[in-house]
Amino acid sequence: MPKTKIILILFLSFINATSFASDIDKLVFPKAEILNKYTARIPFKLIDHLIVVEANVLNKKGNFIIDTGSQNLILNKVHFPSQYGHNKKRVETTGVLNSLDNPLQKKLSEFNLLHFSLKDKNSDIIDLSHIEKSKKMHLLGIIGYSILKDYEIFIDLYLNQITLTKVDKNGNKLDPKVYLEKIVDSIDFKLKKHTIVVNGSINSQNLKLGLDTAAEFNQINKSVNKKVLKHFVPKKRINLAGASNKQIEVLAGNLHRLKLSKTVYLGPMKTILTNLSKMQEAFGVQLDGILGYEFFKYKRTIINYQKEKLYFINYPLITQ
C-alpha cells in the first residue's frame, strides 16, 4: 500500500506548573459578526482539515486553529519570542505522539471578542513552526477549552462559521434565539478534565471516544476489540507527524457502522489505526478513539460544556 505524509494536529494539554502574570493585549477577531452582546459568528477557513480563524494579538495578525483538544490558549513562540524569553519555567504538555518540547506558560491578561472579555486565562507558549511550514500559513496560535468553555459553540462546516453564544453557569444561553436552524437530535457526553468523551458502539462493542476539532482524521486505538476492527477497512500507510514533529507510520482506512445512540450513527469515516496510550496517560481515562474533522463533516454540531451535551442540526437537503 502507498504511504503518504500528513500532519495531525491534536493538542492534549496536561499542565502541572504555576502560571505567570503577563501584559498580553486583547485578542480580537476582526471578521466576527457581532449579533448582540451575547452572540458572535466567526467565519473560518479550512486549511487541509483544520478549522482556522483570523485574529489579531499584540499588533500581529494571523491564524488561530480552533482546538477543543487543547486545554489552554497556545501562542506560537516563533512570533512572540521577546514576550516570553525571560520565562524559563517548564510545564508538561502531552500530545498524541509524545510530550511537546519545553512549553512555557503565562496568564492571558484579557481575551477580547469585541463585547466579550475573559480575564486571567492560561496560555501556553510553544514552538509551532513545523505546523506553520507544513500548512503554509501564518500561525499565531491555537484556541482551546479555556476560552471556549464559557460559550455554547456551534461548529458549522456547511457555512464555514463558528457561532459563540454566552451561557450561564448552568449552560443556559443568555441569548435564547441564537439559531435559525432546528436542532434535530442530541447526545450526552462526559467532560474528563477538558476532554469531551462520548459513548459509542461498533458491532455491539462499547467504545469511549474523544471529540477533537483539530484531529484531521479520526483515530481508533489498535488495542480495541477485534469485533470493532472487523469494521475498519485499511487503505494505505501514512507517516503521521504530531505536535512535537515526531513521526510514526500508521494504517489509514475507513471505519464503518459507528453508533453514538439509537438515532445518531455515522460512517464510513476516514480513520487512522494508532496507539492512543499517551492520551490515556494524560487524561486518566481510557479512550478507544478520537472523532475529528470526519465527524464534523457529517454532523453540524453544537457543544455545551456546562450541560455536557452535543446538539445536532441537519445539513440542508441537496436538490437537483
Side-chain angles (χ1 to χ4, degrees), residues 140-155:
L140 293 187
I142 293 163
I143 295 169
Y145 165 78
S146 65
I147 299 299
L148 300 173
K149 67 181 179 62
D150 297 319
Y151 301 91
E152 187 171 273
I153 309 124
F154 178 19
I155 300 169

Side-chain angles (χ1 to χ4, degrees), residues 15 18 31 40 43 49 52 104 135 138 145 153 219 235 247 257 280 288 292 303:
I15 306 301
T18 304
K31 295 183 179 179
H49 293 163
V52 177
L104 302 172
K135 299 303 179 184
H138 186 69
Y145 165 78
I153 309 124
Q219 298 175 65
K235 297 292 185 181
Q247 294 188 20
R257 299 187 181 181
Q280 295 169 13
D288 299 304
I303 301 170

Side-chain angles (χ1 to χ4, degrees), residues 151-156 163-165 167 171 173 178-187 189 196 211 295-296 299-305 307-314:
Y151 301 91
E152 187 171 273
I153 309 124
F154 178 19
I155 300 169
D156 189 352
T163 301
L164 299 179
T165 188
V167 295
K173 296 187 293 292
V178 179
Y179 313 118
L180 297 176
E181 301 88 345
K182 180 182 178 182
I183 293 174
V184 296
D185 216 332
S186 66
I187 60 172
F189 68 82
I196 296 170
L211 186 66
F295 173 85
F296 293 102
K299 294 292 182 183
R300 299 170 80 193
T301 303
I302 298 167
I303 301 170
N304 189 308
Y305 282 105
K307 290 181 180 291
E308 296 190 352
K309 296 277 288 188
L310 300 179
Y311 303 95
F312 303 113
I313 292 172
N314 282 338

Side-chain angles (χ1 to χ4, degrees), residues 14-248:
F14 181 60
I15 306 301
N16 58 4
T18 304
S19 301
F20 297 88
S22 74
D23 297 319
I24 299 175
D25 285 339
K26 297 175 182 179
L27 190 154
V28 178
F29 298 101
K31 295 183 179 179
E33 178 188 0
I34 306 301
L35 303 185
N36 54 54
K37 64 180 180 179
Y38 301 123
T39 304
R41 290 183 184 140
I42 306 171
F44 65 76
K45 55 190 173 183
L46 283 173
I47 297 182
D48 291 339
H49 293 163
L50 296 175
I51 297 172
V52 177
V53 297
E54 183 180 297
N56 301 337
V57 65
L58 288 170
N59 298 318
K60 295 180 186 290
K61 178 180 179 181
N63 296 308
F64 279 79
I65 296 168
I66 300 294
D67 184 3
T68 58
S70 173
Q71 182 175 0
N72 297 324
L73 176 73
I74 295 175
L75 297 178
N76 189 352
K77 194 166 81 170
V78 172
H79 299 297
F80 304 101
S82 60
Q83 283 82 7
Y84 312 110
H86 62 284
N87 288 323
K88 302 301 181 183
K89 187 94 173 183
R90 294 184 181 183
V91 297
E92 182 182 352
T93 303
T94 302
V96 169
L97 299 183
N98 212 330
S99 295
L100 297 174
D101 296 329
N102 300 336
L104 302 172
Q105 188 182 63
K106 299 195 88 172
K107 280 279 190 180
L108 180 69
S109 61
E110 185 172 20
F111 175 94
N112 190 68
L113 174 57
L114 295 182
H115 300 299
F116 297 78
S117 184
L118 300 172
K119 295 178 184 274
D120 295 329
K121 297 294 178 181
N122 286 330
S123 61
D124 299 331
I125 300 91
I126 297 171
D127 186 348
L128 304 176
S129 58
H130 60 286
I131 299 169
E132 191 170 45
K133 292 175 183 176
S134 167
K135 299 303 179 184
K136 296 181 174 63
M137 66 170 166
H138 186 69
L139 180 63
L140 293 187
I142 293 163
I143 295 169
Y145 165 78
S146 65
I147 299 299
L148 300 173
K149 67 181 179 62
D150 297 319
Y151 301 91
E152 187 171 273
I153 309 124
F154 178 19
I155 300 169
D156 189 352
L157 263 67
Y158 174 70
L159 296 176
N160 277 17
Q161 67 183 19
I162 291 177
T163 301
L164 299 179
T165 188
K166 289 282 285 185
V167 295
D168 62 21
K169 64 180 181 180
N170 297 315
N172 298 315
K173 296 187 293 292
L174 300 180
D175 176 6
K177 298 181 180 180
V178 179
Y179 313 118
L180 297 176
E181 301 88 345
K182 180 182 178 182
I183 293 174
V184 296
D185 216 332
S186 66
I187 60 172
D188 297 327
F189 68 82
K190 293 294 184 183
L191 193 62
K192 302 294 185 180
K193 295 186 180 178
H194 63 278
T195 305
I196 296 170
V197 180
V198 299
N199 293 322
S201 66
I202 295 177
N203 200 8
S204 299
Q205 299 299 305
N206 294 330
L207 301 169
K208 288 190 179 296
L209 306 166
L211 186 66
D212 191 337
T213 56
E216 294 193 71
F217 291 88
N218 290 353
Q219 298 175 65
I220 192 75
N221 199 338
K222 60 175 63 176
S223 66
V224 297
N225 191 289
K226 291 181 180 179
K227 291 183 179 180
V228 173
L229 294 181
K230 284 183 179 179
H231 295 283
F232 173 74
V233 181
K235 297 292 185 181
K236 60 183 176 181
R237 295 186 180 276
I238 61 176
N239 290 323
L240 178 67
S244 59
N245 206 24
K246 296 179 182 178
Q247 294 188 20
I248 58 171

